[in-house]
Amino acid sequence: VQLQAFGGGLVQAGDSLRLSCTARGFIFGSYAMTWFRQAPGKRLEWVSVIDRSGADTSYADSVKGRFTISRDNAKNTLYLQMNNLKPEDTAVYHCAKGIRVAGIKGGQGTLVTVSS
């Protein structure tokens, strides 16, 4: 399993970013996919999940209404559109195969830094 997240960067509060995660080594369309994040000095936090087809999604209260998860099964790619970013969104974002933290294994996160 290989998961590569990218698209992070340094932005100002109120800006937008779109993260992408490319997947290899498994049948992407057969798994729900999840975004987690870890802020400096804090525990890993669940952000959002999407089902296999993309029809059903769920979000943490802290990002609901600002973030949108989506996927393109033909491209083996997961996305996270992040709007109205806040300094508290600063974190390394990880994509995961499935719905558990263990699904991050084999992946590389992307750093998002939001300045106030």
Side-chain angles (χ1 to χ4, degrees), residues 6-102:
F6 57 95
L10 173 62
V11 297
Q12 293 186 333
D15 285 351
S16 298
L17 276 176
R18 188 173 85 152
L19 305 184
S20 300
C21 170
T22 57
R24 291 183 174 86
F26 64 100
I27 301 174
F28 181 74
S30 294
Y31 291 86
M33 295 293 293
T34 305
W35 285 101
F36 293 91
R37 67 185 182 185
Q38 188 165 25
K42 295 189 176 181
R43 297 178 63 180
L44 201 64
E45 176 190 15
W46 173 80
V47 175
S48 182
V49 64
I50 188 167
D51 74 348
R52 293 175 294 178
S53 69
D56 192 21
T57 60
S58 186
Y59 300 90
D61 287 343
S62 58
V63 307
K64 197 173 295 181
R66 300 187 298 120
F67 290 12
T68 302
I69 190 172
S70 62
R71 66 191 297 163
D72 185 335
N73 287 347
K75 295 182 178 180
N76 287 359
T77 303
L78 175 73
Y79 303 100
L80 186 67
Q81 176 67 43
M82 306 186 295
N83 297 331
N84 190 22
L85 282 160
K86 303 177 180 181
E88 51 264 43
D89 295 318
T90 294
V92 176
Y93 285 72
H94 300 273
C95 54
K97 170 190 170 187
I99 63 173
R100 294 181 173 83
V101 172

Side-chain angles (χ1 to χ4, degrees), residues 29 103 106 113:
T113 304

